Amino acid sequence: MNVLVINCGSSSLKYQLINSDSKEVLAKGLCERIGIEGSAITNQSKGCDKITKEIPMPDHKKAVELVIEALTDEKTGAIKSLSEIDAVGHRVVHGGEKFAEAVLIDDDVIKAIEECNDLAPLHNPANLIGISACKALMPQVKMVAVFDTAFHQTMPSKAYLYGIPYEYYEKYRVRRYGFHGTSHSFVSKRTAEILGRDINNFKVIVCHLGNGASISAVLNGKCVDTSMGLTPLEGLIMGTRSGDIDPAIIEFICKKENISVEDMNTILNKKSGVLGLSGISSDFRDLLSASEEGNKRATDTLDTYSYHVAKYIGSYITAMNGVDAIVFTAGVGENNASVRKSVMEYFKYLGIEIDDEKNKIRGEEIEISTESSPIKVMVVPTNEELAICEETVALVK
Ligand code: AMP
């Protein structure tokens, strides 16, 4: 079965066409600057070079039209016609409390996603535009919504409630939701598989460390806690997001700098994290080289980052009353040996040891702890598109 996986942002659309039987990516690409001058589509079919075309894209419907054109291009397309797309899987950021799993999209589902719009005002409307554009162009094809929040819906109330008046939960559903759920689900299952463990009797902590970063505690296949909250701003220090701060800082800085809460929100999302702390970059490769060259702020930033990751891991070991495996994934987690090493230094008291040679290997499924380590430390590359493809197939078959 060929599944088109769509990840729509407000001005972008990422896609992959995946054969679910062979797990092969037949084509992948990106539409950028949708609705803005200078829009372009980049498509790469299996075995072919990347092709980028600058072409006006006033809206997402035009972008989906161009994706279909690229996929079915006579010379460079991965398929001959639209009829070779058997299903579409849409990434949807926020499913609120309405969706604890992926669903087949119908009018009621679209309405329910719309009702979650105020929880993710930048993302959900864009996801819905992508869904309606695909429905308009492929009315006969079954479509599935896969939510970033769904995997975390198993959290108990003690993990998702905030210590604020309960009426805000009752009136506005203000609570922890968590994000990157597709990745946490995929990586936790894959880790159990690799270790030959029954997921139903397995305690794993998944560290998804990318530009956005979150950690989750997965007990017997179910998420029991996660670091992102009502929005993706909470939790770890990220590329440009602050993660946890004292909420009183917001009013304090707004008054000092004479800026609005909206301005502060932008600063916390876009100008904070390791970028704000280091003043150098949100990219860990730049931070590592600056630190190696003796830049103290870069070194302090990396230390602060690792310390926060370690504190979350420690708290999740407590949440699950133990842990069998700790797993690193996403851009930083998969590639950055020194972050992994410095995080795991905090767990020597548990007897965890890292094999430095294995830890050097990048972007592969590998156990990086020594054989004698009582708790396994792993690297398992995430594959959110394949996970969306598999969830889609499970519903349309
Ligand atoms: P993601 O959001 O998962 O794409 O992750 C993006 C982050 O991964 C960026 O901050 C990069 O610094 C980091 N990253 C990607 N490749 C490497 C690498 N080879 N070494 C260190 N960090 C990397």
Side-chain angles (χ1 to χ4, degrees):
M1 183 178 272
N2 291 338
V3 178
L4 179 60
V5 175
I6 298 271
N7 182 355
C8 241
S10 51
S11 64
S12 69
L13 187 161
K14 279 193 239 161
Y15 63 93
Q16 281 195 8
L17 183 67
I18 302 176
N19 181 304
S20 64
D21 304 312
S22 63
K23 299 188 180 177
E24 257 182 330
V25 177
L26 304 177
K28 62 180 174 183
L30 169 67
C31 299
E32 288 173 287
R33 301 179 62 85
I34 301 170
I36 310 170
E37 214 176 306
S39 41
I41 176 169
T42 302
N43 180 72
Q44 183 170 29
S45 299
K46 195 182 135 218
C48 297
D49 289 337
K50 255 188 202 171
I51 299 174
T52 301
K53 269 191 207 158
E54 273 205 31
I55 185 160
M57 276 179 239
D59 53 30
H60 286 73
K61 186 157 175 262
K62 182 69 189 172
V64 175
E65 265 174 36
L66 291 170
V67 169
I68 293 170
E69 254 178 45
L71 291 174
T72 54
D73 186 275
E74 234 177 276
K75 284 194 190 128
T76 56
I79 51 176
K80 289 201 174 62
S81 81
L82 202 57
S83 63
E84 288 177 57
I85 299 176
D86 301 301
V88 181
H90 291 270
R91 176 188 181 214
V92 178
V93 167
H94 219 306
E97 289 184 323
K98 293 176 199 291
F99 298 103
E101 50 199 21
V103 283
L104 266 174
I105 297 174
D106 61 18
D107 291 345
D108 289 341
V109 166
I110 290 178
K111 206 161 147 254
I113 297 173
E114 268 165 11
E115 283 165 12
C116 299
N117 275 1
D118 61 347
L119 291 170
L122 295 179
H123 293 97
N124 271 29
N127 302 150
L128 282 164
I129 290 171
I131 291 171
S132 71
C134 286
K135 270 174 75 88
L137 292 162
M138 295 177 267
Q140 74 293 354
V141 179
K142 284 188 179 164
M143 308 217 180
V144 169
V146 181
F147 300 91
D148 264 24
T149 49
F151 181 63
H152 304 302
Q153 277 296 301
T154 48
M155 272 187 289
S157 56
K158 65 183 176 188
Y160 70 67
L161 286 176
Y162 291 120
I164 57 175
Y166 193 72
E167 63 179 283
Y168 299 135
Y169 171 59
E170 290 180 307
K171 282 202 279 192
Y172 310 121
R173 297 286 134 193
V174 172
R175 50 159 283 181
R176 176 184 311 286
Y177 289 96
F179 297 86
H180 294 140
T182 318
S183 175
H184 288 285
S185 167
F186 179 86
V187 171
S188 55
K189 286 191 188 86
R190 186 72 198 124
T191 305
E193 257 171 42
I194 296 167
L195 292 174
R197 293 286 305 262
D198 175 6
I199 185 83
N200 298 310
N201 182 20
F202 187 53
K203 295 172 178 175
V204 57
I205 293 172
V206 179
C207 308
H208 176 112
L209 310 180
N211 192 32
S214 66
I215 299 202
S216 64
V218 183
L219 177 64
N220 303 334
K222 297 202 161 58
C223 175
V224 292
D225 207 344
T226 192
S227 59
M228 283 178 165
L230 173 76
T231 75
L233 187 54
E234 194 183 349
L236 300 171
I237 297 174
M238 308 180 210
T240 62
R241 295 190 191 116
S242 63
D244 301 331
I245 59 165
D246 177 347
I249 291 172
I250 295 173
E251 189 197 6
F252 184 89
I253 294 185
C254 283
K255 280 189 174 155
K256 291 276 181 201
E257 296 271 317
N258 194 23
I259 57 175
S260 66
V261 172
E262 287 76 18
D263 292 339
M264 194 59 206
N265 206 30
T266 305
I267 291 168
L268 293 176
N269 273 291
K270 304 242 161 88
K271 297 187 176 166
S272 299
V274 294
L275 169 69
L277 257 180
S278 67
I280 298 169
S281 171
S282 63
D283 193 305
F284 278 72
R285 285 165 285 202
D286 300 335
L287 294 177
L288 277 180
S289 36
S291 170
E292 279 160 17
E293 284 160 15
N295 184 311
K296 184 172 178 309
R297 242 172 94 185
T299 307
D300 287 348
T301 300
L302 290 167
D303 286 349
T304 313
Y305 180 87
S306 299
Y307 178 62
H308 281 245
V309 176
K311 281 209 299 186
Y312 262 101
I313 294 175
S315 69
Y316 287 171
I317 293 175
T318 304
M320 295 194 290
N321 202 2
V323 68
D324 298 310
I326 297 165
V327 53
F328 289 90
T329 194
V332 180
E334 289 166 28
N335 294 297
N336 195 321
S338 87
V339 164
R340 293 193 297 251
K341 173 84 176 172
S342 55
V343 168
M344 294 323 299
E345 290 278 308
Y346 289 95
F347 298 96
K348 280 190 168 159
Y349 75 98
L350 291 174
I352 295 181
E353 263 185 339
I354 296 299
D355 180 324
D356 290 329
E357 284 309 306
K358 287 189 187 162
N359 192 33
K360 278 185 195 153
I361 295 169
R362 284 223 320 253
E364 276 179 34
E365 288 181 344
I366 187 159
E367 192 178 317
I368 57 169
S369 45
T370 57
E371 272 185 24
S372 59
S373 183
I375 294 157
K376 302 292 170 205
V377 183
M378 313 275 298
V379 175
V380 175
T382 191
N383 191 337
E384 285 168 287
E385 289 78 14
L386 180 61
I388 292 173
C389 165
E390 286 176 349
E391 295 211 40
T392 302
V393 171
L395 281 168
V396 301
K397 257 198 171 158

